[in-house]
Amino acid sequence: MRSPVEPAPQPAVIADPAALTPEWMTAALRQAGLDVRVTGLRSEPVGTGQMAHNERIHLEIDPASPDAARAPATLVGKFPSPSPESRASGARGGYRAETLFYTRLASDLAIRTPACFYGALGDDESTFTLLLEDMAPAVQGDQIAGASDDEIEAAVRNLAGLHAPRWNHPALDGLDWVVAGVSAEFATYVEMATPVFFERYKERVAPEDAETLRAFAAGVRRWVERRPTDRTLVHGDYRLDNLLFERTRDGVRVAAVDWQTLSVACGGQDLAFLLGNSSPPEQRRAHEDHMLAVYRESLAALGVERSAEEVRRDYVYGSFQGPTITMLGSLAVGQTERGDAMFMAMASRSAAQIRDLGALEILR
């Protein structure tokens, strides 16, 4: 909830993109420092978001506006999901975390993410509005199809730009608005969600994978107890559907979006979730050691020195981020055909990663 001394956002939060008007957009861009007058706009849905709804907004700017030349031709607007289940889940802290990430944190980090022109949260935290830089021609990754090695490597390098600037930073203690990280309460959620997950997907999860995921749920409290002391900002859902890729003459550029699961935790959770879910197991096994070395080198370039053993230890610990997001995430959002296919791919890939790494030993 907004503090009594905190002013209401101007212009007001819009929950439905159909309510956008040129007058509202003019006010939003002016508070972002652009002296323009919007004379018209149109929008269409974009992306495959589960927790929220995205629209690409095309702007018509009065050419006589002082900042007409600097104004964006398009923006991406982000709004609460029309799905009641997804919206209720976002209201439990995800919408708040994403809005405040863009308005308070993003500019101080080295990770590439869209610039924010407007960000505000409704009083009940079930509504929010974000106006973000349109990263086109960058395209959204495909969680089911997977990615090439060079795309995954670019994503690993970008991830270090999130982790390094706040590695063990004292300011982490003041981020009381991020989603709770690995905790006893979190363990309870996993224990409660696991039987519901298998009741829904019992015909679609291979027996070997089901055994692995159930073993994690049975030992999740030991996973919580053994969390590493090193901590940083963690995206929490750093996977292909939340990454935008652009190929340039210099290689692959990546931008990260969807910050609703931002938390303070072990950086290995993001790294393991990315590698474990971005490709079939055979591809991940072939490039895994290289990607860990790339991550270590990228952290060092930003001032955080980690040994190869420390990086691998955090990576093995973080492999349980896969079943966490798979089981909790699948039950927290509205069910769709693509969503089910995505969660099944994630379940299979993350379970194979856990077995390959011998990570279940952490729980014993």
PDB file of all heavy atoms in Angstrom, residues 153-189:
ATOM      1  N   GLU A 153      25.125 -17.717 -24.191  1.00  0.00           N
ATOM      2  CA  GLU A 153      26.319 -17.054 -23.646  1.00  0.00           C
ATOM      3  C   GLU A 153      26.076 -15.558 -23.453  1.00  0.00           C
ATOM      4  O   GLU A 153      26.488 -14.976 -22.443  1.00  0.00           O
ATOM      5  CB  GLU A 153      27.518 -17.282 -24.585  1.00  0.00           C
ATOM      6  CG  GLU A 153      28.788 -16.614 -24.061  1.00  0.00           C
ATOM      7  CD  GLU A 153      30.028 -16.995 -24.852  1.00  0.00           C
ATOM      8  OE1 GLU A 153      30.045 -18.094 -25.465  1.00  0.00           O
ATOM      9  OE2 GLU A 153      30.990 -16.192 -24.851  1.00  0.00           O
ATOM     10  N   ALA A 154      25.405 -14.916 -24.408  1.00  0.00           N
ATOM     11  CA  ALA A 154      25.094 -13.494 -24.256  1.00  0.00           C
ATOM     12  C   ALA A 154      24.200 -13.266 -23.041  1.00  0.00           C
ATOM     13  O   ALA A 154      24.355 -12.276 -22.314  1.00  0.00           O
ATOM     14  CB  ALA A 154      24.422 -12.976 -25.521  1.00  0.00           C
ATOM     15  N   ALA A 155      23.274 -14.182 -22.805  1.00  0.00           N
ATOM     16  CA  ALA A 155      22.397 -14.064 -21.641  1.00  0.00           C
ATOM     17  C   ALA A 155      23.176 -14.240 -20.341  1.00  0.00           C
ATOM     18  O   ALA A 155      22.889 -13.572 -19.339  1.00  0.00           O
ATOM     19  CB  ALA A 155      21.273 -15.091 -21.734  1.00  0.00           C
ATOM     20  N   VAL A 156      24.163 -15.118 -20.333  1.00  0.00           N
ATOM     21  CA  VAL A 156      25.011 -15.313 -19.152  1.00  0.00           C
ATOM     22  C   VAL A 156      25.793 -14.038 -18.845  1.00  0.00           C
ATOM     23  O   VAL A 156      25.878 -13.592 -17.693  1.00  0.00           O
ATOM     24  CB  VAL A 156      25.963 -16.508 -19.355  1.00  0.00           C
ATOM     25  CG1 VAL A 156      27.019 -16.562 -18.252  1.00  0.00           C
ATOM     26  CG2 VAL A 156      25.172 -17.817 -19.393  1.00  0.00           C
ATOM     27  N   ARG A 157      26.366 -13.429 -19.863  1.00  0.00           N
ATOM     28  CA  ARG A 157      27.138 -12.195 -19.660  1.00  0.00           C
ATOM     29  C   ARG A 157      26.224 -11.075 -19.132  1.00  0.00           C
ATOM     30  O   ARG A 157      26.618 -10.303 -18.262  1.00  0.00           O
ATOM     31  CB  ARG A 157      27.801 -11.767 -20.974  1.00  0.00           C
ATOM     32  CG  ARG A 157      28.873 -12.736 -21.463  1.00  0.00           C
ATOM     33  CD  ARG A 157      29.606 -12.210 -22.679  1.00  0.00           C
ATOM     34  NE  ARG A 157      30.533 -13.203 -23.220  1.00  0.00           N
ATOM     35  CZ  ARG A 157      31.740 -13.440 -22.728  1.00  0.00           C
ATOM     36  NH1 ARG A 157      32.174 -12.740 -21.688  1.00  0.00           N
ATOM     37  NH2 ARG A 157      32.528 -14.365 -23.267  1.00  0.00           N
ATOM     38  N   ASN A 158      25.034 -11.000 -19.675  1.00  0.00           N
ATOM     39  CA  ASN A 158      24.099  -9.975 -19.212  1.00  0.00           C
ATOM     40  C   ASN A 158      23.706 -10.207 -17.751  1.00  0.00           C
ATOM     41  O   ASN A 158      23.527  -9.263 -16.975  1.00  0.00           O
ATOM     42  CB  ASN A 158      22.850  -9.973 -20.097  1.00  0.00           C
ATOM     43  CG  ASN A 158      22.041  -8.698 -19.986  1.00  0.00           C
ATOM     44  OD1 ASN A 158      22.585  -7.594 -19.945  1.00  0.00           O
ATOM     45  ND2 ASN A 158      20.730  -8.827 -19.937  1.00  0.00           N
ATOM     46  N   LEU A 159      23.577 -11.469 -17.371  1.00  0.00           N
ATOM     47  CA  LEU A 159      23.194 -11.808 -16.002  1.00  0.00           C
ATOM     48  C   LEU A 159      24.214 -11.296 -14.990  1.00  0.00           C
ATOM     49  O   LEU A 159      23.843 -10.834 -13.899  1.00  0.00           O
ATOM     50  CB  LEU A 159      23.036 -13.323 -15.873  1.00  0.00           C
ATOM     51  CG  LEU A 159      22.628 -13.859 -14.509  1.00  0.00           C
ATOM     52  CD1 LEU A 159      21.268 -13.305 -14.080  1.00  0.00           C
ATOM     53  CD2 LEU A 159      22.606 -15.385 -14.530  1.00  0.00           C
ATOM     54  N   ALA A 160      25.493 -11.369 -15.341  1.00  0.00           N
ATOM     55  CA  ALA A 160      26.517 -10.856 -14.425  1.00  0.00           C
ATOM     56  C   ALA A 160      26.309  -9.371 -14.145  1.00  0.00           C
ATOM     57  O   ALA A 160      26.653  -8.877 -13.069  1.00  0.00           O
ATOM     58  CB  ALA A 160      27.906 -11.095 -15.022  1.00  0.00           C
ATOM     59  N   GLY A 161      25.719  -8.653 -15.094  1.00  0.00           N
ATOM     60  CA  GLY A 161      25.441  -7.239 -14.898  1.00  0.00           C
ATOM     61  C   GLY A 161      24.360  -6.972 -13.871  1.00  0.00           C
ATOM     62  O   GLY A 161      24.253  -5.856 -13.356  1.00  0.00           O
ATOM     63  N   LEU A 162      23.539  -7.967 -13.578  1.00  0.00           N
ATOM     64  CA  LEU A 162      22.586  -7.867 -12.467  1.00  0.00           C
ATOM     65  C   LEU A 162      23.250  -8.227 -11.150  1.00  0.00           C
ATOM     66  O   LEU A 162      23.087  -7.530 -10.150  1.00  0.00           O
ATOM     67  CB  LEU A 162      21.395  -8.804 -12.719  1.00  0.00           C
ATOM     68  CG  LEU A 162      20.424  -8.986 -11.541  1.00  0.00           C
ATOM     69  CD1 LEU A 162      19.706  -7.681 -11.223  1.00  0.00           C
ATOM     70  CD2 LEU A 162      19.420 -10.102 -11.841  1.00  0.00           C
ATOM     71  N   HIS A 163      24.016  -9.301 -11.145  1.00  0.00           N
ATOM     72  CA  HIS A 163      24.548  -9.829  -9.895  1.00  0.00           C
ATOM     73  C   HIS A 163      25.701  -9.010  -9.325  1.00  0.00           C
ATOM     74  O   HIS A 163      25.763  -8.779  -8.114  1.00  0.00           O
ATOM     75  CB  HIS A 163      25.006 -11.274 -10.106  1.00  0.00           C
ATOM     76  CG  HIS A 163      23.890 -12.227 -10.366  1.00  0.00           C
ATOM     77  ND1 HIS A 163      24.098 -13.533 -10.773  1.00  0.00           N
ATOM     78  CD2 HIS A 163      22.542 -12.085 -10.283  1.00  0.00           C
ATOM     79  CE1 HIS A 163      22.934 -14.148 -10.923  1.00  0.00           C
ATOM     80  NE2 HIS A 163      21.981 -13.282 -10.639  1.00  0.00           N
ATOM     81  N   ALA A 164      26.638  -8.605 -10.167  1.00  0.00           N
ATOM     82  CA  ALA A 164      27.870  -7.996  -9.657  1.00  0.00           C
ATOM     83  C   ALA A 164      27.662  -6.673  -8.910  1.00  0.00           C
ATOM     84  O   ALA A 164      28.237  -6.481  -7.828  1.00  0.00           O
ATOM     85  CB  ALA A 164      28.869  -7.814 -10.802  1.00  0.00           C
ATOM     86  N   PRO A 165      26.867  -5.731  -9.417  1.00  0.00           N
ATOM     87  CA  PRO A 165      26.797  -4.420  -8.746  1.00  0.00           C
ATOM     88  C   PRO A 165      26.276  -4.465  -7.315  1.00  0.00           C
ATOM     89  O   PRO A 165      26.581  -3.566  -6.516  1.00  0.00           O
ATOM     90  CB  PRO A 165      25.844  -3.624  -9.656  1.00  0.00           C
ATOM     91  CG  PRO A 165      25.991  -4.251 -11.007  1.00  0.00           C
ATOM     92  CD  PRO A 165      26.164  -5.702 -10.717  1.00  0.00           C
ATOM     93  N   ARG A 166      25.475  -5.468  -6.960  1.00  0.00           N
ATOM     94  CA  ARG A 166      24.919  -5.548  -5.605  1.00  0.00           C
ATOM     95  C   ARG A 166      25.395  -6.788  -4.853  1.00  0.00           C
ATOM     96  O   ARG A 166      24.772  -7.218  -3.898  1.00  0.00           O
ATOM     97  CB  ARG A 166      23.390  -5.534  -5.660  1.00  0.00           C
ATOM     98  CG  ARG A 166      22.795  -4.195  -6.091  1.00  0.00           C
ATOM     99  CD  ARG A 166      23.052  -3.106  -5.053  1.00  0.00           C
ATOM    100  NE  ARG A 166      22.398  -1.853  -5.402  1.00  0.00           N
ATOM    101  CZ  ARG A 166      22.928  -0.920  -6.177  1.00  0.00           C
ATOM    102  NH1 ARG A 166      24.138  -1.140  -6.722  1.00  0.00           N
ATOM    103  NH2 ARG A 166      22.290   0.201  -6.447  1.00  0.00           N
ATOM    104  N   TRP A 167      26.533  -7.352  -5.262  1.00  0.00           N
ATOM    105  CA  TRP A 167      27.027  -8.577  -4.622  1.00  0.00           C
ATOM    106  C   TRP A 167      27.381  -8.283  -3.163  1.00  0.00           C
ATOM    107  O   TRP A 167      28.254  -7.481  -2.862  1.00  0.00           O
ATOM    108  CB  TRP A 167      28.254  -9.096  -5.370  1.00  0.00           C
ATOM    109  CG  TRP A 167      28.597 -10.508  -5.007  1.00  0.00           C
ATOM    110  CD1 TRP A 167      29.351 -10.924  -3.951  1.00  0.00           C
ATOM    111  CD2 TRP A 167      28.186 -11.686  -5.693  1.00  0.00           C
ATOM    112  NE1 TRP A 167      29.433 -12.293  -3.930  1.00  0.00           N
ATOM    113  CE2 TRP A 167      28.731 -12.786  -4.993  1.00  0.00           C
ATOM    114  CE3 TRP A 167      27.410 -11.916  -6.834  1.00  0.00           C
ATOM    115  CZ2 TRP A 167      28.520 -14.107  -5.402  1.00  0.00           C
ATOM    116  CZ3 TRP A 167      27.207 -13.226  -7.235  1.00  0.00           C
ATOM    117  CH2 TRP A 167      27.763 -14.304  -6.514  1.00  0.00           C
ATOM    118  N   ASN A 168      26.677  -8.946  -2.236  1.00  0.00           N
ATOM    119  CA  ASN A 168      26.875  -8.766  -0.789  1.00  0.00           C
ATOM    120  C   ASN A 168      26.836  -7.285  -0.378  1.00  0.00           C
ATOM    121  O   ASN A 168      27.507  -6.872   0.561  1.00  0.00           O
ATOM    122  CB  ASN A 168      28.199  -9.399  -0.336  1.00  0.00           C
ATOM    123  CG  ASN A 168      28.144 -10.917  -0.360  1.00  0.00           C
ATOM    124  OD1 ASN A 168      27.093 -11.519  -0.197  1.00  0.00           O
ATOM    125  ND2 ASN A 168      29.293 -11.544  -0.578  1.00  0.00           N
ATOM    126  N   HIS A 169      26.052  -6.490  -1.055  1.00  0.00           N
ATOM    127  CA  HIS A 169      25.991  -5.051  -0.818  1.00  0.00           C
ATOM    128  C   HIS A 169      25.115  -4.746   0.401  1.00  0.00           C
ATOM    129  O   HIS A 169      24.040  -5.342   0.564  1.00  0.00           O
ATOM    130  CB  HIS A 169      25.418  -4.356  -2.049  1.00  0.00           C
ATOM    131  CG  HIS A 169      25.704  -2.890  -2.120  1.00  0.00           C
ATOM    132  ND1 HIS A 169      25.076  -1.979  -1.306  1.00  0.00           N
ATOM    133  CD2 HIS A 169      26.544  -2.178  -2.912  1.00  0.00           C
ATOM    134  CE1 HIS A 169      25.512  -0.773  -1.590  1.00  0.00           C
ATOM    135  NE2 HIS A 169      26.408  -0.861  -2.556  1.00  0.00           N
ATOM    136  N   PRO A 170      25.527  -3.821   1.280  1.00  0.00           N
ATOM    137  CA  PRO A 170      24.704  -3.478   2.444  1.00  0.00           C
ATOM    138  C   PRO A 170      23.312  -2.986   2.081  1.00  0.00           C
ATOM    139  O   PRO A 170      22.367  -3.156   2.852  1.00  0.00           O
ATOM    140  CB  PRO A 170      25.519  -2.370   3.137  1.00  0.00           C
ATOM    141  CG  PRO A 170      26.914  -2.557   2.654  1.00  0.00           C
ATOM    142  CD  PRO A 170      26.820  -3.110   1.278  1.00  0.00           C
ATOM    143  N   ALA A 171      23.170  -2.365   0.899  1.00  0.00           N
ATOM    144  CA  ALA A 171      21.872  -1.833   0.493  1.00  0.00           C
ATOM    145  C   ALA A 171      20.816  -2.917   0.298  1.00  0.00           C
ATOM    146  O   ALA A 171      19.614  -2.622   0.277  1.00  0.00           O
ATOM    147  CB  ALA A 171      22.021  -1.027  -0.801  1.00  0.00           C
ATOM    148  N   LEU A 172      21.239  -4.174   0.175  1.00  0.00           N
ATOM    149  CA  LEU A 172      20.277  -5.261   0.003  1.00  0.00           C
ATOM    150  C   LEU A 172      19.313  -5.345   1.187  1.00  0.00           C
ATOM    151  O   LEU A 172      18.152  -5.742   1.034  1.00  0.00           O
ATOM    152  CB  LEU A 172      21.004  -6.598  -0.168  1.00  0.00           C
ATOM    153  CG  LEU A 172      21.856  -6.763  -1.433  1.00  0.00           C
ATOM    154  CD1 LEU A 172      22.628  -8.080  -1.381  1.00  0.00           C
ATOM    155  CD2 LEU A 172      20.995  -6.695  -2.695  1.00  0.00           C
ATOM    156  N   ASP A 173      19.789  -4.997   2.369  1.00  0.00           N
ATOM    157  CA  ASP A 173      18.947  -5.093   3.565  1.00  0.00           C
ATOM    158  C   ASP A 173      17.789  -4.103   3.533  1.00  0.00           C
ATOM    159  O   ASP A 173      16.797  -4.288   4.243  1.00  0.00           O
ATOM    160  CB  ASP A 173      19.784  -4.863   4.829  1.00  0.00           C
ATOM    161  CG  ASP A 173      20.797  -5.979   5.055  1.00  0.00           C
ATOM    162  OD1 ASP A 173      20.476  -7.139   4.709  1.00  0.00           O
ATOM    163  OD2 ASP A 173      21.894  -5.692   5.563  1.00  0.00           O
ATOM    164  N   GLY A 174      17.897  -3.067   2.729  1.00  0.00           N
ATOM    165  CA  GLY A 174      16.843  -2.066   2.670  1.00  0.00           C
ATOM    166  C   GLY A 174      15.780  -2.336   1.627  1.00  0.00           C
ATOM    167  O   GLY A 174      14.811  -1.576   1.510  1.00  0.00           O
ATOM    168  N   LEU A 175      15.920  -3.424   0.880  1.00  0.00           N
ATOM    169  CA  LEU A 175      14.969  -3.722  -0.194  1.00  0.00           C
ATOM    170  C   LEU A 175      13.812  -4.562   0.350  1.00  0.00           C
ATOM    171  O   LEU A 175      13.631  -5.732  -0.001  1.00  0.00           O
ATOM    172  CB  LEU A 175      15.670  -4.452  -1.340  1.00  0.00           C
ATOM    173  CG  LEU A 175      16.823  -3.695  -1.999  1.00  0.00           C
ATOM    174  CD1 LEU A 175      17.454  -4.536  -3.097  1.00  0.00           C
ATOM    175  CD2 LEU A 175      16.343  -2.369  -2.569  1.00  0.00           C
ATOM    176  N   ASP A 176      13.006  -3.948   1.225  1.00  0.00           N
ATOM    177  CA  ASP A 176      11.919  -4.684   1.845  1.00  0.00           C
ATOM    178  C   ASP A 176      10.726  -4.872   0.904  1.00  0.00           C
ATOM    179  O   ASP A 176       9.734  -5.509   1.270  1.00  0.00           O
ATOM    180  CB  ASP A 176      11.463  -3.983   3.130  1.00  0.00           C
ATOM    181  CG  ASP A 176      11.057  -2.535   2.903  1.00  0.00           C
ATOM    182  OD1 ASP A 176      11.175  -2.051   1.766  1.00  0.00           O
ATOM    183  OD2 ASP A 176      10.638  -1.895   3.885  1.00  0.00           O
ATOM    184  N   TRP A 177      10.823  -4.340  -0.310  1.00  0.00           N
ATOM    185  CA  TRP A 177       9.723  -4.463  -1.258  1.00  0.00           C
ATOM    186  C   TRP A 177       9.931  -5.575  -2.283  1.00  0.00           C
ATOM    187  O   TRP A 177       9.045  -5.821  -3.115  1.00  0.00           O
ATOM    188  CB  TRP A 177       9.504  -3.131  -1.992  1.00  0.00           C
ATOM    189  CG  TRP A 177      10.765  -2.494  -2.508  1.00  0.00           C
ATOM    190  CD1 TRP A 177      11.521  -1.563  -1.876  1.00  0.00           C
ATOM    191  CD2 TRP A 177      11.414  -2.746  -3.763  1.00  0.00           C
ATOM    192  NE1 TRP A 177      12.606  -1.204  -2.652  1.00  0.00           N
ATOM    193  CE2 TRP A 177      12.561  -1.912  -3.825  1.00  0.00           C
ATOM    194  CE3 TRP A 177      11.130  -3.572  -4.847  1.00  0.00           C
ATOM    195  CZ2 TRP A 177      13.414  -1.893  -4.921  1.00  0.00           C
ATOM    196  CZ3 TRP A 177      11.987  -3.556  -5.939  1.00  0.00           C
ATOM    197  CH2 TRP A 177      13.113  -2.725  -5.962  1.00  0.00           C
ATOM    198  N   VAL A 178      11.074  -6.258  -2.263  1.00  0.00           N
ATOM    199  CA  VAL A 178      11.270  -7.353  -3.213  1.00  0.00           C
ATOM    200  C   VAL A 178      10.533  -8.591  -2.720  1.00  0.00           C
ATOM    201  O   VAL A 178      10.193  -8.717  -1.545  1.00  0.00           O
ATOM    202  CB  VAL A 178      12.770  -7.670  -3.432  1.00  0.00           C
ATOM    203  CG1 VAL A 178      13.520  -6.454  -3.940  1.00  0.00           C
ATOM    204  CG2 VAL A 178      13.406  -8.201  -2.156  1.00  0.00           C
ATOM    205  N   VAL A 179      10.286  -9.507  -3.625  1.00  0.00           N
ATOM    206  CA  VAL A 179       9.629 -10.753  -3.274  1.00  0.00           C
ATOM    207  C   VAL A 179      10.519 -11.537  -2.308  1.00  0.00           C
ATOM    208  O   VAL A 179      11.741 -11.555  -2.452  1.00  0.00           O
ATOM    209  CB  VAL A 179       9.352 -11.576  -4.545  1.00  0.00           C
ATOM    210  CG1 VAL A 179       8.721 -12.915  -4.200  1.00  0.00           C
ATOM    211  CG2 VAL A 179       8.456 -10.791  -5.495  1.00  0.00           C
ATOM    212  N   ALA A 180       9.916 -12.178  -1.321  1.00  0.00           N
ATOM    213  CA  ALA A 180      10.689 -12.953  -0.357  1.00  0.00           C
ATOM    214  C   ALA A 180      11.507 -14.026  -1.067  1.00  0.00           C
ATOM    215  O   ALA A 180      11.025 -14.685  -1.990  1.00  0.00           O
ATOM    216  CB  ALA A 180       9.754 -13.608   0.665  1.00  0.00           C
ATOM    217  N   GLY A 181      12.754 -14.195  -0.636  1.00  0.00           N
ATOM    218  CA  GLY A 181      13.615 -15.190  -1.250  1.00  0.00           C
ATOM    219  C   GLY A 181      13.421 -16.563  -0.625  1.00  0.00           C
ATOM    220  O   GLY A 181      12.322 -16.925  -0.196  1.00  0.00           O
ATOM    221  N   VAL A 182      14.470 -17.350  -0.573  1.00  0.00           N
ATOM    222  CA  VAL A 182      14.407 -18.691  -0.010  1.00  0.00           C
ATOM    223  C   VAL A 182      14.215 -18.585   1.499  1.00  0.00           C
ATOM    224  O   VAL A 182      15.061 -18.045   2.209  1.00  0.00           O
ATOM    225  CB  VAL A 182      15.690 -19.467  -0.356  1.00  0.00           C
ATOM    226  CG1 VAL A 182      15.676 -20.836   0.297  1.00  0.00           C
ATOM    227  CG2 VAL A 182      15.833 -19.598  -1.867  1.00  0.00           C
ATOM    228  N   SER A 183      13.089 -19.096   2.002  1.00  0.00           N
ATOM    229  CA  SER A 183      12.743 -18.953   3.411  1.00  0.00           C
ATOM    230  C   SER A 183      11.898 -20.138   3.849  1.00  0.00           C
ATOM    231  O   SER A 183      11.459 -20.953   3.029  1.00  0.00           O
ATOM    232  CB  SER A 183      11.957 -17.657   3.633  1.00  0.00           C
ATOM    233  OG  SER A 183      10.723 -17.710   2.929  1.00  0.00           O
ATOM    234  N   ALA A 184      11.616 -20.219   5.154  1.00  0.00           N
ATOM    235  CA  ALA A 184      10.764 -21.291   5.661  1.00  0.00           C
ATOM    236  C   ALA A 184       9.366 -21.198   5.060  1.00  0.00           C
ATOM    237  O   ALA A 184       8.735 -22.215   4.740  1.00  0.00           O
ATOM    238  CB  ALA A 184      10.698 -21.212   7.185  1.00  0.00           C
ATOM    239  N   GLU A 185       8.870 -19.974   4.891  1.00  0.00           N
ATOM    240  CA  GLU A 185       7.554 -19.792   4.275  1.00  0.00           C
ATOM    241  C   GLU A 185       7.557 -20.283   2.835  1.00  0.00           C
ATOM    242  O   GLU A 185       6.612 -20.939   2.382  1.00  0.00           O
ATOM    243  CB  GLU A 185       7.160 -18.320   4.328  1.00  0.00           C
ATOM    244  CG  GLU A 185       5.787 -18.031   3.744  1.00  0.00           C
ATOM    245  CD  GLU A 185       5.434 -16.550   3.782  1.00  0.00           C
ATOM    246  OE1 GLU A 185       6.365 -15.711   3.736  1.00  0.00           O
ATOM    247  OE2 GLU A 185       4.233 -16.242   3.847  1.00  0.00           O
ATOM    248  N   PHE A 186       8.654 -19.987   2.145  1.00  0.00           N
ATOM    249  CA  PHE A 186       8.809 -20.458   0.774  1.00  0.00           C
ATOM    250  C   PHE A 186       8.766 -21.983   0.725  1.00  0.00           C
ATOM    251  O   PHE A 186       8.123 -22.580  -0.148  1.00  0.00           O
ATOM    252  CB  PHE A 186      10.135 -19.940   0.222  1.00  0.00           C
ATOM    253  CG  PHE A 186      10.634 -20.669  -0.985  1.00  0.00           C
ATOM    254  CD1 PHE A 186      10.207 -20.325  -2.248  1.00  0.00           C
ATOM    255  CD2 PHE A 186      11.534 -21.720  -0.847  1.00  0.00           C
ATOM    256  CE1 PHE A 186      10.673 -21.008  -3.359  1.00  0.00           C
ATOM    257  CE2 PHE A 186      11.996 -22.406  -1.954  1.00  0.00           C
ATOM    258  CZ  PHE A 186      11.557 -22.045  -3.213  1.00  0.00           C
ATOM    259  N   ALA A 187       9.441 -22.642   1.669  1.00  0.00           N
ATOM    260  CA  ALA A 187       9.447 -24.104   1.704  1.00  0.00           C
ATOM    261  C   ALA A 187       8.033 -24.655   1.855  1.00  0.00           C
ATOM    262  O   ALA A 187       7.670 -25.663   1.236  1.00  0.00           O
ATOM    263  CB  ALA A 187      10.341 -24.595   2.844  1.00  0.00           C
ATOM    264  N   THR A 188       7.235 -23.995   2.665  1.00  0.00           N
ATOM    265  CA  THR A 188       5.851 -24.428   2.853  1.00  0.00           C
ATOM    266  C   THR A 188       5.080 -24.354   1.544  1.00  0.00           C
ATOM    267  O   THR A 188       4.291 -25.248   1.218  1.00  0.00           O
ATOM    268  CB  THR A 188       5.160 -23.567   3.921  1.00  0.00           C
ATOM    269  OG1 THR A 188       5.870 -23.697   5.158  1.00  0.00           O
ATOM    270  CG2 THR A 188       3.718 -23.985   4.115  1.00  0.00           C
ATOM    271  N   TYR A 189       5.301 -23.284   0.776  1.00  0.00           N
ATOM    272  CA  TYR A 189       4.627 -23.148  -0.513  1.00  0.00           C
ATOM    273  C   TYR A 189       4.985 -24.311  -1.437  1.00  0.00           C
ATOM    274  O   TYR A 189       4.115 -24.858  -2.130  1.00  0.00           O
ATOM    275  CB  TYR A 189       5.011 -21.828  -1.183  1.00  0.00           C
ATOM    276  CG  TYR A 189       4.467 -20.589  -0.517  1.00  0.00           C
ATOM    277  CD1 TYR A 189       5.169 -19.384  -0.565  1.00  0.00           C
ATOM    278  CD2 TYR A 189       3.257 -20.611   0.166  1.00  0.00           C
ATOM    279  CE1 TYR A 189       4.680 -18.233   0.045  1.00  0.00           C
ATOM    280  CE2 TYR A 189       2.769 -19.466   0.776  1.00  0.00           C
ATOM    281  CZ  TYR A 189       3.482 -18.288   0.712  1.00  0.00           C
ATOM    282  OH  TYR A 189       2.997 -17.158   1.310  1.00  0.00           O
TER     283      TYR A 189
END
